[in-house]
Amino acid sequence: MIKHTAFALLLLTVPVLAQANAGGDTAGSSANTTARPVTGEQVYVQVCQGCHMADAKGGVGAGRIPALAKNSNLEDPSYPVSMIVQGRGAMPPLTDLLNPAQIAAVATYVRTHFGNNYKKPVKEADVKAIMGQ
Amino acid sequence: MQTHTTRRQLLTAIGMMGGTAALYQAMTTMGHAAETQFAGPPNLSGARTGASVLVLGAGLGGMLAAYELSKAGYKVRILEYQNRAGGRNWSLYGGDTYTELGGATQKVGFAPGHYLNPGPWRIPHHHRTLLHYCKSFGVSLEPFIQFNHNAFVHNEHAFGGKPVHFREAAADFEGNVAELLNKAIDQKALDAELTTEDKDKLKEALRGWGMLDADMKYKTNLLSSEHRGYERTPGGGVNGAPIPSEVFKFRDVIDVQVWKNMAFFMNHEMQTTMFQPVGGMGMIGKAFAKQVGGMLTYNAKVTKIMQDKAGVTVSYTDTATGKATEAKADYCVCAIPLGVLNQIENNLSGPKKSAIAAVPYGNQVKIGLQMARRFWETDDYIYGGHSFTSQDIALVSYPNYKLFEDGPGVLLGAFANGAGAFRLAGMTPEQRIEAALAQGAVFHPKTYRKEFQTGASVAWSRVPWTMGCCARWNEETRKQHYQTLVALEDRTVLVGEHASYVGCWMEGALLSSLDAITRLHKRALEA
Ligand SMILES: Cc1cc2nc3c(=O)[nH]c(=O)nc-3n(C[C@H](O)[C@H](O)[C@H](O)COP(=O)(O)OP(=O)(O)OC[C@H]3O[C@@H](n4cnc5c(N)ncnc54)[C@H](O)[C@@H]3O)c2cc1C
């Protein structure tokens, strides 16, 4: 029995240590289960638009969300794909939300819409290569 | 062989000899188990004559640095992009206007005294730094009702898609687990782990905790109803006798939404007692601003941060006039969120720049809905607390102020995150309200739309001065970048919730600030 008592007391330390990795203030609800977007346009509307805006013109305040409209940085397809995969600064990596097929679809979509005309489609395999898969 | 007493072995020994109190004291001395890292205000003093500091950003982190450094004798100036201090500590009231990135502008129409806290809204009892300064600066606090057994839990894929009371779901979860564990004991599955005495004790605990009957079954009866509530509650007179409520199917009870919500309330950070300022969370920012009022320059957008042997030069633009200016000081406390800082030209080191660029932020969306009548109180007996849902809005949370009044109330109609929050953020403010009404109505179908008057929303990914909610660290980024990020580099130090392990809490911003200025002051005295 002594062994058990000492063990129980040691358990007291566990929550204190675990708390160091707590995720901050959240709703505490389960992840939502609503259907995932499929086409490039759906991915754009349901993910990218939350930042880059419906017209893809971005916005400027203290920080700046760059326009994807008429953006010559999209010419090299690996650039938008790596942005989506790795993120940078206030652009988060989106791989826990989107799979390679969805990333390919949305990269193709932004490269062919909003005044961009880079016709060559981005393939799922291209995305996987950049993800090191 | 070398004998080496580990910390754990030592604690075990202390625990066995002196009991819990001795163990706790020992752990506290060793820096564990204490509820806070706050050791009181830093009491810095003796700054060199004329030494100066520029603080960038008037959030709580920046303002606390300014307050304590000026007390220590520094000449302090704060540059703030907005025409308001407080940063993420912020409340929206009737008459306020908010313009998000992209230009969508909302005029808030809440009734006087009502508000939406777009960012922080609750304070744990162990956030001692924040509570200390609230008291020092005269901020009145009232309870924040965190845990409400009578609020709802909803998942589209459980309980036939109907919301159930948290109380019922949690009681059934615990009752069923108790019954199953008892079965495992009876089937001798736990004989290797437990002595006969332990088994007896545990069975007794399972019976009492899980509301099991004489046959150790969790069933529809008055016992289970004591936890989950009744079909007809106990009353007086002729029909005084209670009628038990029917327990749910176990398959529904083990739904992810149920245990996630139960576990949520067990988080150290989410445990009661919690508090909120009277009149809105923004009261804290206002109280801090009063302390540092003379040091503040508003409408100052920092565009460049350069340091050299002689000092720090910060360029900023007056957002009202467009005029570009330079400010100089001996030291710089930069309390600007990382996503914005990443876009500001600077001559910090390469590793520091990589650290600044490496930490993505959350994308929470909050929506406030003013209802003409407090129907959740009058019709559902819900006073504060949260109803959770698997839909994009994630929850509906009920106001903790003006309880029992006849007039309106402002609900938190969404606290979305992840995919759901991106969907809401991509909408116009009007579409967001529409979505919040459609989804929130699952809890209050007869009244939700009918009583709605006016709403406001804040999508943090479009907030012009953060472009995100809070820093999202993980084990990998912590290991690779955290120490680099918080290190004092020449004359500049970064401050904010992102420079702490209490991420996405005001407490983290304050603890980061106190630690940073203590190091800065030491270096300034040594220079
Ligand atoms: C949705 C949400 C819910 C939260 N819930 C809670 C909660 O319940 N409890 C809790 O304790 N915490 C909560 N938090 C976290 C809390 O809000 C933060 O940890 C804290 O307020 C951060 O303070 P800070 O000083 O680090 O940054 P901020 O408050 O963001 O301050 C940064 C300041 O820098 C200014 N700035 C930005 N760019 C520039 C520039 N270029 N030039 C000049 N100034 C600039 C900004 O305008 C701002 O005033 C929540 C946050 C969010 C987003």
Side-chain angles (χ1 to χ4, degrees):
Chain A
M1 283 322 294
I2 283 173
K3 200 170 129 232
H4 281 140
T5 315
F7 181 66
L9 286 173
L10 273 176
L11 283 179
L12 284 173
T13 63
V14 173
V16 181
L17 299 177
Q19 165 274 122
N21 291 323
D25 190 51
T26 58
S29 182
S30 76
N32 73 70
T33 47
T34 317
R36 295 180 125 224
V38 182
T39 66
E41 182 178 5
Q42 284 169 340
V43 175
Y44 186 83
V45 169
Q46 294 195 32
V47 181
C48 320
Q49 184 166 308
C51 297
H52 290 282
M53 309 299 156
D55 57 9
K57 287 194 177 144
V60 181
R64 184 176 59 89
I65 299 175
L68 300 181
K70 299 204 183 86
N71 185 337
S72 58
N73 290 337
L74 300 183
E75 183 170 2
D76 176 356
S78 68
Y79 183 67
V81 170
S82 358
M83 279 304 290
I84 300 168
V85 169
Q86 284 147 24
R88 184 179 72 215
M91 162 103 188
L94 293 164
T95 41
D96 46 356
L97 232 58
L98 302 173
N99 61 33
Q102 290 169 315
I103 293 171
V106 74
T108 302
Y109 179 76
V110 294
R111 278 165 40 82
T112 51
H113 289 76
F114 310 117
N116 300 312
N117 198 10
Y118 308 109
K119 290 226 165 64
K120 193 161 170 260
V122 181
K123 301 223 179 61
E124 192 177 340
D126 305 336
V127 177
K128 282 186 170 159
I130 286 173
M131 291 172 76
Q133 291 180 1
Chain B
M1 212 177 94
Q2 204 187 344
T3 44
H4 174 75
T5 312
T6 65
R7 182 176 159 272
R8 173 162 285 231
Q9 283 164 342
L10 187 64
L11 287 175
T12 310
I14 296 170
M16 285 193 296
M17 289 182 302
T20 322
L23 179 66
Y24 183 81
Q25 205 188 357
M27 287 196 300
T28 308
T29 317
M30 293 166 85
H32 294 272
E35 281 240 274
T36 174
Q37 289 201 12
F38 181 58
N43 295 318
L44 307 179
S45 64
R48 290 177 189 233
T49 318
S52 58
V53 181
L54 268 174
V55 173
L56 313 181
L60 298 190
M63 286 195 286
L64 182 58
Y67 172 79
E68 290 293 352
L69 286 171
S70 92
K71 271 201 352 194
Y74 291 89
K75 229 177 92 216
V76 181
R77 211 181 140 196
I78 313 174
L79 301 177
E80 166 56 47
Y81 167 75
Q82 299 180 73
N83 59 8
R84 164 187 79 77
R88 276 168 272 184
N89 177 286
W90 177 31
S91 299
L92 281 170
Y93 304 92
D96 286 352
T97 299
Y98 168 59
T99 302
E100 63 185 40
L101 282 173
T105 297
Q106 301 173 63
K107 182 121 174 51
V108 183
F110 298 145
H114 295 263
Y115 56 84
L116 164 69
N117 291 327
W121 54 321
R122 50 190 165 195
I123 304 169
H125 61 275
H126 51 88
H127 283 184
R128 304 311 306 180
T129 323
L130 183 60
L131 293 173
H132 167 86
Y133 285 101
C134 280
K135 186 151 169 79
S136 302
F137 297 167
V139 180
S140 317
L141 299 174
E142 62 193 1
F144 175 96
I145 300 168
Q146 167 79 337
F147 193 20
N148 185 342
H149 292 81
N150 196 39
F152 294 106
V153 174
H154 166 253
N155 186 337
E156 290 135 301
H157 304 297
F159 305 107
K162 294 216 170 59
V164 299
H165 291 287
F166 176 87
R167 176 186 58 234
E168 304 165 313
D172 287 4
F173 186 95
E174 293 180 356
N176 279 290
V177 167
E179 182 183 315
L180 285 170
L181 191 48
N182 179 67
K183 252 184 214 155
I185 295 172
D186 285 351
Q187 290 166 1
K188 309 200 181 304
L190 299 176
D191 281 6
E193 278 82 9
L194 301 173
T195 65
T196 308
E197 193 191 336
D198 291 345
K199 283 198 284 187
D200 289 345
K201 272 190 171 168
L202 181 55
K203 282 170 79 81
E204 194 50 33
L206 294 173
R207 186 207 303 278
W209 168 68
M211 306 312 270
L212 307 185
D213 66 12
D215 302 325
M216 296 299 274
K217 290 273 181 292
Y218 183 76
K219 282 215 285 241
T220 297
N221 55 30
L222 287 175
L223 262 176
S224 59
S225 287
E226 256 181 68
H227 278 191
R228 72 191 311 287
Y230 302 86
E231 176 70 36
R232 185 175 76 186
T233 49
V238 178
N239 288 324
I243 298 173
S245 61
E246 191 143 340
V247 300
F248 294 132
K249 285 201 223 65
F250 187 50
R251 186 189 305 134
D252 284 331
V253 170
I254 52 175
D255 181 74
V256 54
Q257 186 79 325
V258 175
W259 65 258
K260 274 228 171 159
N261 294 161
M262 291 171 70
F264 171 72
F265 292 116
M266 294 176 188
N267 276 312
H268 186 228
E269 233 61 90
M270 295 299 172
Q271 289 169 15
T272 60
T273 308
M274 302 194 91
F275 301 99
Q276 65 179 15
V278 175
M281 190 52 83
M283 292 299 171
I284 298 181
K286 285 188 180 151
F288 272 63
K290 225 183 237 166
Q291 301 293 326
V292 298
M295 306 172 213
L296 267 160
T297 303
Y298 291 114
N299 302 317
K301 173 175 164 173
V302 170
T303 55
K304 193 167 159 187
I305 306 164
M306 302 300 247
Q307 59 176 354
D308 58 29
K309 296 238 150 42
V312 185
T313 306
V314 173
S315 312
Y316 67 94
T317 309
D318 184 323
T319 55
T321 63
K323 189 167 164 274
T325 317
E326 275 185 2
K328 286 178 190 292
D330 298 322
Y331 299 97
C332 175
V333 171
C334 178
I336 295 176
L338 293 179
V340 179
L341 181 57
N342 180 51
Q343 297 177 336
I344 295 176
E345 189 187 344
N346 65 70
N347 66 349
L348 294 164
S349 70
K352 184 76 109 188
K353 283 185 176 143
S354 304
I356 291 167
V359 192
Y361 274 46
N363 64 322
Q364 270 81 342
V365 174
K366 276 198 181 174
I367 302 177
L369 304 172
Q370 181 174 306
M371 300 292 177
R373 184 169 80 74
R374 305 172 75 95
F375 52 83
W376 53 93
E377 297 179 359
T378 52
D379 305 3
D380 294 298
Y381 316 138
I382 293 174
Y383 300 90
H386 327 292
S387 285
F388 300 100
T389 170
S390 56
Q391 301 170 99
D392 287 352
I393 57 168
L395 57 67
V396 168
S397 185
Y398 307 92
N400 306 296
Y401 57 100
K402 299 188 188 290
L403 270 68
F404 296 102
E405 288 195 1
D406 287 331
V410 173
L411 293 170
L412 179 64
F415 186 16
N417 193 11
F422 280 134
R423 273 192 285 269
L424 289 166
M427 299 176 182
T428 64
E430 297 74 26
Q431 290 169 332
R432 287 180 202 144
I433 302 281
E434 177 50 38
L437 287 174
Q439 294 175 28
V442 78
F443 297 119
H444 308 281
K446 287 203 214 77
T447 37
Y448 216 62
R449 230 172 236 288
K450 203 174 102 204
E451 303 290 354
F452 170 72
Q453 292 180 316
T454 180
S457 64
V458 171
W460 280 89
S461 59
R462 289 187 179 187
V463 169
W465 36 272
T466 55
M467 296 193 292
C469 176
C470 293
R472 280 193 293 134
W473 290 93
N474 58 36
E475 256 174 61
E476 198 49 46
T477 48
R478 287 271 190 213
K479 206 161 72 200
Q480 232 186 319
H481 298 294
Y482 180 78
Q483 288 301 332
T484 311
L485 189 89
V486 300
L488 171 57
E489 192 169 290
D490 299 330
R491 298 171 169 276
T492 302
V493 69
L494 306 191
V495 157
E497 60 83 23
H498 50 272
S500 82
Y501 271 77
V502 200
C504 215
W505 293 98
M506 294 177 284
E507 181 77 358
L510 299 184
L511 284 171
S512 144
S513 185
L514 294 181
D515 175 69
I517 60 170
T518 304
R519 285 181 287 134
L520 188 77
H521 181 54
K522 186 159 175 277
R523 171 154 315 170
L525 293 183
E526 284 163 4

